[in-house]
Amino acid sequence: MQEKKVYDYLYSHGVKPSVQRVAVMKYLLEHTNHPAVDEIYGELLQRIPTLSKTTVYNTLKLLVDQGAVRMLTIDGKNANYDGHLEPHAHFLCSKCGRIFDIPYPSDEDEMRHVPEGFTTEQVEHYFHGICADCNPKRDC
């Protein structure tokens, strides 16, 4: 992904670009594996030797607060991050631990069920089970 697109993306979410912010955002936009902080830090440290884990944490917090990134807590223990904001759900494989994006209908249908006077800020759809790679092959 071109850095100009990442700069524009950050500006569109009210985030002032820096070398570290651009690197974190670019990583999230290019990788759909829903990385945790340690994975992002480990990958970016190879390119930015002065990067600190605190900077990655602070950058992710800012990106989440500004609506540029989603934080997932699909396993109830760890925070994973998703740079893709289009409506979709997430599936956590209980065998391999990978998180997958899966299509999901628009949130608009669900908003009809929210009581009047309530304001919805975010909707998350989490599925848990066994992914196709881990599922044993079945003879039909």
Side-chain angles (χ1 to χ4, degrees), residues 3-140:
E3 286 199 15
K4 176 164 180 9
K5 287 184 180 181
V6 179
Y7 274 82
D8 292 345
Y9 184 84
L10 290 173
Y11 277 124
S12 74
H13 285 88
V15 177
K16 183 177 175 186
S18 68
V19 170
Q20 296 86 352
R21 291 173 182 171
V22 169
V24 170
M25 192 69 243
K26 185 176 181 189
Y27 184 86
L28 288 171
L29 291 172
E30 291 176 343
H31 296 83
T32 59
N33 60 336
H34 309 90
V37 171
D38 288 338
E39 184 176 345
I40 297 167
Y41 173 70
E43 287 292 321
L44 296 181
L45 188 60
Q46 297 172 24
R47 286 180 263 153
I48 308 171
T50 58
L51 185 67
S52 72
K53 195 179 281 192
T54 300
T55 298
V56 175
Y57 273 108
N58 291 339
T59 298
L60 289 167
K61 181 180 180 341
L62 174 66
L63 293 173
V64 169
D65 289 348
Q66 293 299 113
V69 169
R70 280 188 181 165
M71 181 175 72
L72 309 177
T73 55
I74 191 168
D75 70 356
K77 300 179 274 188
N78 301 301
N80 297 80
Y81 296 88
D82 190 352
H84 300 279
L85 301 179
E86 70 284 346
H88 65 280
H90 294 98
F91 184 98
L92 173 65
C93 178
S94 59
K95 284 197 174 189
C96 66
R98 290 184 295 167
I99 301 170
F100 299 87
D101 287 339
I102 57 173
Y104 199 82
S106 162
D107 294 335
E108 292 176 18
D109 291 333
E110 293 185 344
M111 292 307 140
R112 290 186 217 150
H113 301 290
V114 175
E116 191 169 329
F118 286 71
T119 301
T120 302
E121 295 176 351
Q122 186 171 327
V123 176
E124 295 293 338
H125 298 284
Y126 294 150
F127 295 87
H128 298 254
I130 300 172
C131 72
D133 291 339
C134 294
N135 230 343
K137 304 280 187 227
R138 297 189 180 130
D139 293 327
C140 295

